[in-house]
Amino acid sequence: MQIAVTPDPGSWVVIPEFPPPGWARMEAQTRSLLLDMTGPQWRAAFANLLEELRRTERGTALARLLHVGEGGHQIFAVDLSLVIAQDDGSKEGRRATQRALIAELLPRPHEPQRLRPAPRMAGFQAVSEDTEAGTTNRPSAVVVLRMAGLPTVPVDLVMKAWKATPEIVASALDDMVALGHVVAPVEALPRTPES
């Protein structure tokens, strides 16, 4: 299922799958001005990071973002995907499904914490017990949210944080959870007359 996300550009960079030529360099220049980090070394390192994230394989239909905290801190990648839920839609079924997703994606999690970031959104978040930077296969943290009223079938939004240690990701989990408010399946987006 395709996913669309429109995050706060002050904290997030959306990594396009097929960017125009020079995209990473231009994004790094813009971001360095926003963060008041105008050194050429930082800009070059940031452009290289954006290119690396773009080239890292995407296993399924997902959106990839880079979190950039204030002052260029809390930098980590997040992959977002929508997973059709195979449960009966009850609270117990949803919780079992979401806990199973976390267990599958995060081999050594701390105890998952329940989330209720909005009246029509519920789920769990968990951070890895590992101390090393996460990868796409072994993320640092996972957030799973069920959002009522998306498509007609129950769908969980799965967010995997990687490219930083669990400690760094844990300090910005609220920003990650907030992404649930700006995500929609592509099929659910309003159509314009041109499309």
Side-chain angles (χ1 to χ4, degrees):
M1 182 177 292
Q2 295 293 321
I3 185 171
V5 58
T6 52
D8 172 11
S11 299
W12 296 96
V13 177
V14 177
I15 310 294
E17 200 164 358
F18 306 106
W23 168 81
R25 190 179 66 254
M26 289 184 291
E27 184 65 40
Q29 187 172 9
T30 303
R31 187 64 50 168
S32 66
L33 292 173
L34 285 172
L35 295 171
D36 199 26
M37 299 179 77
T38 54
Q41 288 180 325
W42 191 88
R43 256 195 326 268
F46 196 77
N48 289 339
L49 174 61
L50 293 175
E51 272 301 313
E52 178 188 342
L53 292 176
R54 187 186 70 76
R55 290 189 181 126
T56 303
E57 186 176 334
R58 302 178 190 218
T60 58
L62 57 83
R64 178 166 287 160
L65 292 88
L66 180 67
H67 182 269
V68 185
E70 246 178 75
H73 303 295
Q74 297 174 324
I75 294 178
F76 57 90
V78 176
D79 288 348
L80 294 88
S81 59
L82 296 174
V83 177
I84 296 174
Q86 304 297 327
D87 56 60
D88 60 7
S90 66
K91 183 187 288 187
E92 295 78 19
R94 174 186 57 80
R95 287 182 176 173
T97 297
Q98 292 176 328
R99 284 180 166 273
L101 280 168
I102 287 175
E104 177 186 332
L105 297 170
L106 204 60
R108 295 185 53 209
H110 286 286
E111 180 62 27
Q113 303 296 309
R114 287 178 48 200
L115 290 172
R116 188 77 171 174
R120 299 173 57 85
M121 201 180 295
F124 291 91
Q125 67 184 20
V127 177
S128 174
E129 287 182 347
D130 290 335
T131 55
E132 297 172 10
T135 66
T136 54
N137 295 327
R138 295 183 64 83
S140 297
V142 173
V143 174
V144 181
L145 293 172
R146 179 82 48 96
M147 296 180 290
L150 274 185
T152 54
V153 295
V155 172
D156 284 310
L157 169 64
V158 177
M159 298 179 257
K160 298 188 309 182
W162 56 284
K163 198 67 178 165
T165 63
E167 181 183 10
I168 289 173
V169 175
S171 67
L173 269 177
D174 288 346
D175 287 352
M176 225 171 117
V177 172
L179 288 173
H181 298 288
V182 294
V183 165
V186 169
E187 298 85 22
L189 293 176
R191 297 227 166 289
T192 60
E194 302 85 45
S195 57

